[in-house]
Amino acid sequence: MEERAPNQAIKPPTESKDILRWLKENLFNTWYNALFTCLAVGFLYVIFKGILTWVLTEANWNVIPANLQIFLVGAYPREEIWRVWVVIYTLGILTGLSAGIWGGLALRLALVIGGVGGGIGIILAFFPAPLSSRLGLLGGVVLLAASLFLGRGRKGMRLWVLGGWLLSFPWTMVWLHGFGGLPVVFTSNWGGLLLTLILAAVGIVVSFPLGVLLALGRRSTLPAIKWVSTAYIETVRGVPLVTILFMAQIMVPIFLPDFRIDKILRAMLGITLFSAAYMAENVRGGLQAIPKGQHEAAQALGLNYPLTMLLIILPQALRSVIPAIVGQFISLFKDTSLVAVIGLLDLLGIAKTVIANPDWLGLQAEVYLFAAVVYFVFSYSMSYISQKIEEALEVG
Amino acid sequence: MADLENTSEDSIIICEDVHKWFDDFHVLKGVTTAFKRGEKVVICGPSGSGKSTLIRTINRLEVHQRGRIVVDGIELSDDLRNIERIRQEVGMVFQQFNLFPHLTVLQNVTLSPVWVKKVAKSEAESEALALLERVGIEEHAHKFPAQISGGQQQRVAIARALAMQPKIMLFDEPTSALDPEMINEVLDVMRELAASGMTMLVVTHEMGFAREVADRIIFIDEGAIVEEAVPAAFFDNPQHERTQLFISQTLQH
Amino acid sequence: MENNSPQSASDKIPFWRDIRVLRVLFQVSFLIGVILLAGILYTNMLRGLRGLGLTLNLDFLNDEAGFGIAEGIAYEPSDAYLRAFWVGVVNTLRVSVIGIVCATILGLVIGIARLSSNWLVRNIAAIYVECFRNIPLLLQILFWYTAVILQLPSVRESFTFFGGVFINQRGVYLPSPQPTSGVKIWIGCLAVGFIFALALYLVRLRKLRQMEQPGFAAKWALPAFLLVAILGWFLIPGKPFTLELPALKGFNFAGGIYFSPEFAALLIGLVIYTGAFIAEVVRSGIQSVAKGQWEAAKAIGLSEFQTLRLVILPQALRVIAPPLTSQYLNLTKNSSLAVAIGFPDLFNVGNTMMNQTGQSIPIFAMIMMSYLFISLTTSAYMNWYNRRINRIGR
């Protein structure tokens, strides 16, 4: 065997050919990979050439900035839009404070949200977007950063911030609707991305307690409760959301003739009833993962069923299903687009009305692509967040 | 089968012809025995003999289907109030510790005093700290179960059971899931508890502990009591063939 | 030993503390609550229906539908509502089945491509998945329909491929094979070939067993069968099939296989969207098979193809089957988005029926039962299949 002085370590192959080596290893390592690479390059060339030519020369993008406001908030009155900004700022402050107080995961989430907000601001700079909305967005990012700084290390504020999060949802609904001296903005005027987000939030938040009850019901040892819960869950999961949305539109006035429930509330009802069944299955997954010993230990200590569930089982089960619930929120965020079929003006519904506007005829591709990008940005950043949550939970 | 004559006034637990089935499997085939106040009884037997099931029927984690179990004058039945009372009088320690992983050590111990006995939180905490000191882990009070060793977890579990101030403690193979070097720290706590006069029913394979601490040893096989005797008689002069076999196999280890 | 003391003790329990009684009471009151709620809704409904002058029955199903359905099995506007609904059901099944087959193939290809050692292929597949998963399906369907298919050239300027495939804004026209008189002889030929191939298969199987060697038992049978089929095609007098080409007649094409723009848009949307999800299912399924399995298979000298066929896929299939089932069900349920572009699936036809008759309650019940029937039979079949593949070697 060849002897070598210990300090004469073998150097890796020369660095200068790194790119070539990378190419060879990753693109041309076998004859068929070389073939695939050539095909892929050709494919990309055709696609990108087509898309870029269209995007840069043929498409008429004026339709987007001209309708930006209704894309974002629908028919929400122009002079009341500051209320939407207040909501954004509140959520920004809460996110910033949480990030400052808890650090870790919350911090990363805040960075993602801040990044998305800043990113949208930068994108808006390329459009002749109104200065106010760009400044508004900038203000939101600044507020987020400031409250992050403010919240650092202030453990004492934990309960306040948690309470703030709990109240933020009902407060948002009441605030946007208007109360006291604030002019009322009827839900029928809510629209665009605002409506999309609200529908998804309602679908998750309101369906959560329902879903937990259904999941407990399905795992109950009482046959009547078990079968009713199972039948509900399986029926709802077996039919498409569109049927449930239509049913809410048509049947609610028949079943509850004494209440005047407007279209958006009916859609919210449909989405909530739909979402509850899926939420129940997610929660059930978490419940099943709790070892039997936890139930037994709680029983042996004399805890009754409600206390066992509230203090022992649910806190553990819900923690483990957070990623699944975020996943459900993402698909619900996309699924809310179905309300466009029943004539609501969510982001997709607005897109359809813009296309139908005689001023902007023939711009289907532009409008739908814009909507697609908005959906994508939200949906993709949320799945990034959920991935991070999953990683954090696995470690913790 | 042991006669019912020894179910005298000072018996705290009385089992009469207790039967239990898991579907078609007859786990307990008419167990009759009684435990005196302050008595320490070790229950042993091969795996699957029904020894764990027996002590789990005593705080009704398992429901017996025939026979009678009376704990401190309260009969175990479908009466909700009786079950609640018995669970407060009987503490239980499990093989897998079964600590609540989302709560700190201190919260684990104060949980049932606060929520079941409605003791004020500050009072429950000072009592819990005293108990934790008694089992020797007061310095870990604010850690989570996953941050301490198995032996420490089992000691917390004992403290948690004691926090209800039970009259009887049930131990279901408390050292079987522990690494060998941690077994003694748990047995020491149990010895101390035995010395304090607690009524203890212990399912265990620790024959040294049995010989040293037990007032009586019950040997169960195939769902029935085969033999019961004081430790000296049990180990040195077992009457039944199956007992002899069990002892010879166990003591080899 | 069995004295009466246990019974006498439990008899004394007051009912409000007896667990058995409480369980029954709790369930009974729960059921009463459910029934009460249903009853309130039901009486409200009856009141509402009376206000509209409707009664709750199914007689209307035999009335003349009176509306046209653009595509599907044979149907006339003069047919009954029930027939119209059935046309919708068949259309749903048609788009779902074709969609499932295509989405599975696409998902399999993309899923395997995501694990490719080729950097470019791997990343194109990843971008595909991320893009199409994160955009609502309805938006995608509307895009394909209004921004792509309806913007295609008019009938007279159709895209033409191979002289027989025509694509234009009215839809997609494919040549259709028409059986001729020779088809029976050819089918006979196939039968003979099949028997021959079966014999070869059995012979080789026995031989492999005798030699105690593993191998591909159909190695002779498959080529033999193909050979007979091809020889038969060319040797028998007259071709067994002729291709009927779509031909421009007046303002439209006639003949051949026809897919409407609605069908095409729905199918493209469903396949591309579901394909992205199936790709993820396939990828995680293959990745779930431990790396040690590849290494172990290599160590005992299996080739890459053999490893995939004998070791990896059977294990991956177990992981893949359940999520794949739910993707199939999702695709079927998502086909109801047809209503947004006017493809006459069961929901869309049902919706039209509701608008015409006002009988929303029975029609909703029919729609939901149809979807439930499809869902439950599919999941029952897949559960059976799961049990079967899980029983083997576990």
Side-chain angles (χ1 to χ4, degrees), chain C residues 127-355:
Chain C
I127 291 171
Y128 166 85
V129 169
E130 289 305 341
C131 275
F132 289 102
R133 251 189 351 166
N134 284 311
I135 297 170
L137 173 59
L138 179 60
L139 177 53
Q140 295 188 34
I141 290 174
L142 286 172
F143 178 83
W144 294 120
Y145 184 60
T146 60
V148 177
I149 292 179
L150 293 188
Q151 309 302 316
L152 287 171
S154 67
V155 174
R156 298 203 167 268
E157 288 148 8
S158 305
F159 290 129
T160 311
F161 299 95
F162 316 113
V165 179
F166 301 92
I167 298 178
N168 60 49
Q169 52 176 250
R170 296 261 183 89
V172 179
Y173 301 81
L174 302 173
S176 71
Q178 298 287 334
T180 63
S181 54
V183 76
K184 279 178 190 155
I185 309 173
W186 190 59
I187 286 174
C189 216
L190 286 188
V192 173
F194 180 75
I195 293 165
F196 179 54
L198 194 69
L200 276 178
Y201 176 81
L202 291 175
V203 167
R204 180 162 158 83
L205 198 66
R206 235 180 92 193
K207 208 167 167 191
L208 284 173
R209 288 240 176 91
Q210 275 169 1
M211 287 156 61
E212 293 186 350
Q213 263 181 12
F216 192 41
K219 197 175 183 177
W220 300 345
L222 272 179
F225 181 71
L226 287 177
L227 191 74
V228 173
I230 293 167
L231 280 180
W233 182 282
F234 286 107
L235 291 184
I236 56 175
K239 297 279 178 291
F241 290 98
T242 53
L243 277 185
E244 187 196 62
L245 297 181
L248 194 58
K249 280 185 189 144
F251 294 110
N252 215 337
F253 282 96
I257 300 173
Y258 167 68
F259 293 116
S260 68
E262 292 79 23
F263 181 88
L266 186 63
L267 187 68
I268 294 171
L270 286 173
V271 166
I272 288 183
Y273 184 76
T274 317
F277 283 91
I278 292 181
E280 281 304 276
V281 169
V282 169
R283 179 186 64 92
S284 60
I286 293 178
Q287 276 180 337
S288 74
V289 180
K291 211 180 161 197
Q293 296 286 314
W294 281 99
E295 286 160 1
K298 204 178 267 176
I300 59 170
L302 295 181
S303 75
E304 204 170 331
F305 172 72
Q306 283 172 323
T307 309
L308 203 64
R309 188 172 74 92
L310 299 171
V311 181
I312 306 299
L313 279 185
Q315 295 184 59
L317 212 57
R318 275 190 203 131
V319 182
I320 290 174
L324 196 61
T325 312
S326 64
Q327 288 308 325
Y328 288 171
L329 290 176
N330 281 348
L331 187 145
T332 309
K333 286 184 280 172
N334 282 336
S335 69
S336 60
L337 295 183
V339 72
I341 54 173
F343 173 74
D345 77 324
L346 87 93
F347 181 66
N348 196 3
V349 172
N351 199 28
T352 312
M353 283 163 58
M354 271 185 262
N355 289 339

Side-chain angles (χ1 to χ4, degrees), chain A residues 38 59 68 70 72 93 126 128 138 147 162 207 213 222 227 245 250 271 284 294 297 302 310 327 364 390-391 393:
Chain A
C38 295
L68 194 59
I70 68 161
L72 295 180
I93 291 172
F126 288 102
L138 186 72
S147 47
L162 274 180
S207 76
L213 285 180
L222 305 176
W227 291 119
L245 282 175
I250 298 171
I271 288 175
R284 189 166 72 106
Q294 295 287 313
L310 271 177
Q364 293 91 342
E390 211 161 337
E391 282 164 22
L393 284 179

Side-chain angles (χ1 to χ4, degrees), chain B residues 1 4 16-17 32 66-68 75 77-83, chain C residues 1-3 5-7 9-10 13-14 16-20 22:
Chain B
M1 199 168 274
L4 288 172
E16 262 178 38
D17 190 32
T32 300
R66 226 167 77 190
R68 216 159 81 96
E75 162 141 28
S77 62
D78 287 319
D79 189 336
L80 205 58
R81 197 183 60 180
N82 286 0
I83 297 170
Chain C
M1 214 51 224
E2 280 164 290
N3 53 23
S5 55
Q7 277 75 24
S10 51
I13 307 168
W16 64 88
R17 285 193 339 230
D18 189 326
I19 287 180
R20 288 166 305 177
L22 287 177

Side-chain angles (χ1 to χ4, degrees), chain C residues 59-176:
Chain C
D59 295 343
F60 72 95
L61 285 175
N62 295 321
D63 296 349
E64 186 182 311
F67 61 89
I69 296 180
E71 58 187 302
I73 53 172
Y75 164 83
E76 294 295 326
S78 55
D79 285 339
Y81 277 114
L82 194 60
R83 175 75 186 171
F85 190 77
W86 179 242
V87 176
V89 172
V90 173
N91 276 340
T92 289
L93 290 176
R94 187 165 68 116
V95 76
S96 302
V97 169
I98 299 176
I100 283 172
V101 172
C102 298
T104 308
I105 296 169
L106 182 68
L108 205 63
V109 171
I110 302 285
I112 292 172
R114 284 210 65 179
L115 297 170
S116 161
S117 59
N118 187 319
W119 182 87
L120 204 54
V121 170
R122 196 166 65 220
N123 280 289
I124 291 176
I127 291 171
Y128 166 85
V129 169
E130 289 305 341
C131 275
F132 289 102
R133 251 189 351 166
N134 284 311
I135 297 170
L137 173 59
L138 179 60
L139 177 53
Q140 295 188 34
I141 290 174
L142 286 172
F143 178 83
W144 294 120
Y145 184 60
T146 60
V148 177
I149 292 179
L150 293 188
Q151 309 302 316
L152 287 171
S154 67
V155 174
R156 298 203 167 268
E157 288 148 8
S158 305
F159 290 129
T160 311
F161 299 95
F162 316 113
V165 179
F166 301 92
I167 298 178
N168 60 49
Q169 52 176 250
R170 296 261 183 89
V172 179
Y173 301 81
L174 302 173
S176 71

Side-chain angles (χ1 to χ4, degrees), chain A residues 88-306:
Chain A
I88 295 175
Y89 291 156
T90 315
L91 295 179
I93 291 172
L94 279 174
T95 312
L97 283 176
S98 316
I101 293 171
W102 280 281
L105 180 64
L107 185 64
R108 272 186 287 174
L109 298 191
L111 292 180
V112 171
I113 293 167
V116 169
I120 294 173
I122 292 169
I123 292 169
L124 281 185
F126 288 102
F127 292 102
L131 190 66
S132 61
S133 52
R134 256 183 289 165
L135 284 180
L137 215 51
L138 186 72
V141 176
V142 168
L143 265 181
L144 192 147
S147 47
L148 198 162
F149 192 73
L150 199 76
R152 265 194 322 175
R154 301 202 181 196
K155 303 249 187 262
M157 286 171 73
R158 278 182 172 190
L159 274 182
W160 289 103
V161 174
L162 274 180
W165 276 118
L166 276 180
L167 285 179
S168 64
F169 177 72
W171 180 79
T172 300
M173 303 298 284
V174 174
W175 174 252
L176 289 177
H177 183 265
F179 61 95
L182 276 177
V184 169
V185 179
F186 289 108
T187 48
S188 50
N189 286 330
W190 300 10
L193 183 60
L194 176 71
L195 179 60
T196 297
L197 289 170
I198 285 178
L199 287 175
V202 168
I204 287 293
V205 175
V206 183
S207 76
F208 180 76
L210 264 175
V212 170
L213 285 180
L214 281 168
L216 292 176
R218 191 168 185 175
R219 305 238 322 141
S220 167
T221 52
L222 305 176
I225 291 170
K226 183 178 176 175
W227 291 119
V228 171
S229 308
T230 309
Y232 177 84
I233 293 170
E234 290 306 325
T235 307
V236 170
R237 277 159 38 92
V239 299
L241 175 57
V242 190
T243 54
I244 292 178
L245 282 175
F246 266 79
M247 204 150 94
Q249 292 304 314
I250 298 171
M251 309 281 256
V252 166
I254 298 179
F255 282 137
L256 300 169
D258 306 330
F259 300 90
R260 289 183 55 84
I261 302 175
D262 78 6
K263 245 182 159 181
I264 289 192
L265 283 179
R266 276 180 270 160
M268 286 177 179
L269 187 71
I271 288 175
T272 305
L273 292 179
F274 175 78
S275 182
Y278 288 81
M279 182 69 80
E281 284 302 272
N282 284 335
V283 173
R284 189 166 72 106
L287 290 175
Q288 269 168 342
I290 306 294
K292 210 176 152 218
Q294 295 287 313
H295 291 268
E296 290 179 348
Q299 274 182 21
L301 287 175
L303 296 179
N304 55 20
Y305 178 84

